[in-house]
Amino acid sequence: MRTSARPFAALVAALTLTAGLFAAGAPASARDHGATEAAQASDVSLAADTYDWKNVRIDGGGFVPGIVFNRTEKNLAYARTDIGGAYRWDQAGKQWKPLLDWVDWDHWGWTGVVSLASDSVDPDNVYAAVGTYTNDWDPTNGAVLRSSDRGASWKASTLPFKLGGNMPGRGMGERLAVDPNKNSVLYLGAPSGNGLWRSTDSGATWSEVTAFPNPGNYSQDPTDTSGYGNDNQGIVWVTFDERSGSRGSTTQDIYVGVADKENTVYRSTDGGTTWSRIAGQPTGYLAHKGVLDSENGYLYLTLSDTGGPYDGGKGRIWRYATATGEWQDVSPVAEADTYYGFSGLTVDRQHPGTVMATAYSSWWPDTQIFRSTDSGATWTQAWDYTSYPNRSNRFTQDVSSVPWLTWGANPSPPETTPKLGWMTEALEIDPFDSDRMMYGTGATIYGTENLTNWDSGSQFGITPMVKGLEETAVNDLASPPSGAPLLSALGDIGGFRHTDLDAVPDMMFTSPNLTSTTSLDFAESSPNTVVRVGSADAAPHIGFSTDNGSNWFQGSEPSGVTGGGTVAAAADASGFVWSPEGTGVYHTTGYGSSWSASTGLPQGATVESDRKNPKKFYGYKAGTFYVSTDGGATFTAKASSGLPTEGNVRFKAVPGTEGDIWLAGGATTGAYGLWHSTDSGATFTELSGVDQADAVGFGKAAAGASYQTLFVSAKIGGVRGIFRSTDAGATWTRINDDAHQWGWTGAAITGDPRVFGRVYVSTNGRGIMYGDSSDGDGGTDPGTDPGTDPGTDPGTDPGTDPGTDPGDAACSVTYKVTNQWSGGFQADVTLTNTGDTELNGWKLGWAFPDGQKVGQMWNATPTQDGAKVTAANVSWNGRVAPGASAGFGFTGTLTGGNTAPDAFTLGDEVCATG
C-alpha cells in the first residue's frame, strides 16, 4: 500500500501547464501596497451568478508535511500541504478550514506551502511561505503571505527567488519562524543556495542575512538536470530559544538547520548578527527538525541520511544541552537496526521531558512512532514484534470516518491495514493538551485525544483528524446521466464513485488499483459501462465496470504500455479506444480481452467518443483533429487550420447530438481559446470574446433552452474564472469569484446532466469543487442566472450598481457575520434586486452602530466616512437582473461590540433586510 508519489501527480500537472500563464501583480486578496489592479471584463457580455461552493468530500488524499500549533492560544492550529494550500483548525466543527482558495490562476504556485508560522505574541498573525517548485515548472517567484486575521485575508511579499512546497525535502522544517519575544522579526530558510532571510517589519519586506555562512549543499540527485532532484535543499528550519530574550526585545539565541551533512546546525547568540557552526554536532546526516525544550534546555534533532519525504535509509536522534554544549546520541534503536530516517519531532509543552519522534521513511511494514518521558534516555514505540511476523500495538485505529484509508488491502503480517502511516514528517503534541497529538502522512492527518494512555500501558486511539482538508489532484471527471452523480480520476489515490457528494466514499476504485487515474469515460447511452486508465507499478493499466463504477475487473493491454494516457467508450458500450503512454493508439470491441492497433492517429493523441454515434471516435494532436467512423479502427485527419498546435488541448462531444464538439486549449505563444464544430470536426469556429480556455464540459440545459449548459475554465473579457453559458456560448456568466479560485483549474470540468447549474471543477491539490446555482432552473435571461444565496462564502460572485433607481423597496439585503475574533471579524453581504428592471451599477450604503471599520473588501469597492460605509460594484459585476443577487464580503476591525447595521440603502431607497 502506498500513497503514490505526490511529486509525480503534481509534476505532471506542472509540466503540462502552458508557458505564459502568469501575469504581473498579485490577486486582489493577496495584493500588497502598490500592486497592479487585476484586469476586469469590459468587452464581453458578462453577468454574475451567486454560487454555493463546496468540496466533494474525500477527506485528505495527499501529503501533509507540516502541522503548527500556536503556543499561547488553545485550539489554534494550522496545517500545510505540498500543493493544496494551508488550513486552520476549527475546534467547534473538528475540521480544517481552507485559507488559500483565493490564489488565482496566474499564481497557482502559491498553493504549495513550504512553511507556516503562527505568532505566539499576537495569535491573530499567521504567515505562510508559498511556492511550489524552485525550477522553471513554476514560472513565478515564491512569496511570504501574512495575515493579521488568522488567514481570513492576506497580503503578499514576493521574494526574489522561488520556494519549493512540492520539492524534495519539503517535510523538513519549519523554515519560517517568528521571534517569540519580538514578533516583528521573522526568519525564512531559503532553498537553492539563497541562504537565510530576515524581516524586521512583520513580513512586509525581507533581506538576506549575509552573515550566515552556509546556504547548504545537499541535493537529492545531483545528476538530475531538470532542476528538481538536483536542487540544493538549503536552509531547512529555524528555532528560537525564548529564554534568551524578553518581551519586546530580540531573542538572542537562534538555531538554524542546514541541508549539509557535515555542518547541519548553526547558532547565533547575538540576535542573528553573527553565526557559527555548533561544535561536536553529529555528521553524516541532515537534521530534518530541530525542536527546543526550553524548560530543560535541550535542543533535539531528528536526523536522516537523505532529505525525504520518500527516501531515507539510516537515521539518528541527538540531543544538545544548550547550557553545557554537550551532545548526546539519544536514538531509540542502534544505528545498525535502522532502515529509515527520523523526522517527525515534538515535545510535550505541559511535560517537557516527554519527546516523540517518527521513523518517517519506514514504508514497510509500517511507520514507527517513538516516545520518551525522560528526555530521550529511554524510549518505547507504537508497536513491537511479539514473535515475527506478529506484532503488538499500543494503539487502536479506527478509520470508519474515512474508510478508503484501508486501500481495500488484505496484507500479510507484519503489515496491517490501515497503516499507522508513511511519510510521517509532521508530528505535534498539542501544547495545551498532553492527550492530543496530530501527525501527517502521505494521505491524511491522524490524531489521538488520549495519548497518555501510552504511558499507563493501555491503548490510545487513533482516528483521522482530516475533515475539511481536501488535497487531491484531479485529472478527469465524469457525471453520467444515471447512477452515481460523479466519477473522479485522481492523482495518488486513483479515484472514486461519488454517490453522495457530501459524504466520504467507502473505497477508491480497485481491481485494478491504479496509483493515479489519468482518464475515465462512460458509455453515453449505457452509463453503467465505465472504463478507466492510469498509472500502475505493473500491468494492467486499465479497468472496466459494468455497474456504473461500483465494481471493476481488469483488462488486458497491448505491449509497450507504460501509463494511462486517455481512453474513450463507444456511446452504446460496444467498444473502446485507448491512447496509452508508451505505445500507439488501440481499439477493442470487447472489454480489453484483445486489442488492435488503430491507424491514422499518431501516438500520444487525445481520444474521445461521439456521444450519439457508437462507431464514431475523435482524436487530437498538435493542431490536427481526427475522426474515425469505424469504431476506432481507422482515423482520418480533418480540421487543422487555426487550431492550437501547442499547450494542452481538451475537447468533448455534446451528448445527444452527433458531431457536436467543443475544443478548448492552447498556449499564449499561439492559438489559445475555445472552438466549436457541428460537423464532426471537419470545420471549427473560434468563439470571439473567449481569450483563453482550458477545459470545457456540459450540464443540464436551462428551462426553456434548447442547448445543454456549457461550463468552461477560461479567461473571458480579461477575467480568469469558471464560466457558464446557457445559450451555446453567446453570453457567459462568471460563477466563481475572487475568493474561490483554487489556483489552477485547467484539467477537467463537467456539469451535471440531472441538476441545472451544478458544475464539478478539478483543482491541482484542493480536490474536487462543486458549485450549485441559486437559480433553480435557469429559466430567466440566459446570461444572468438570478437568485439569492445568502449562505455563500465571502466574495460570492457579485452583482450591481445603483445607477438606476430601483423604486420603492426594490432591493433586499442579507448581512451575515461569518467569523469573529479578538479585534476583528469577517462578514458576507448579499444584495438582491427585487424590482422589475435591471440594475446597471449599484452602491450599497449602511452605517456601523459600534464604530466598526472595513478592512479588506472583495467583489466590491469600499469607502468609509466615520460610521458610514458605501460598497460599490466592480466593473464586471454591475448588472443585476430582476431576481438576481450580488454578493460581496469583507474583513473589519472592532473595538467594542459588533452589532449588525439596521438599515441598508440603494440610491435613495431603503432595502428590505432578512
Side-chain angles (χ1 to χ4, degrees), residues 510-537:
T510 59
S511 299
N513 286 73
L514 301 176
T515 54
S516 292
T517 301
T518 56
S519 175
L520 58 78
D521 194 17
F522 63 89
E524 187 66 41
S525 61
S526 182
N528 279 343
T529 299
V530 188
V531 61
R532 60 186 169 92
V533 294
S535 305
D537 293 330

Side-chain angles (χ1 to χ4, degrees), residues 554-581:
Q554 301 176 355
S556 67
E557 62 183 44
S559 62
V561 173
T562 60
T566 58
V567 69
D572 64 353
S574 59
F576 304 88
V577 173
W578 185 15
S579 177
E581 295 177 21

Side-chain angles (χ1 to χ4, degrees), residues 789-807:
D789 188 357
T792 54
D793 284 341
T796 49
D797 242 282
T800 43
D801 239 319
T804 60
D805 184 356

Side-chain angles (χ1 to χ4, degrees), residues 3-4 6 61-64 421-424 440-444 471 492-493:
T3 70
S4 103
R6 166 58 57 183
F63 181 34
V64 181
W422 58 98
M423 296 165 62
T424 48
T441 77
T444 193
E471 201 195 344
D492 294 352
I493 60 174

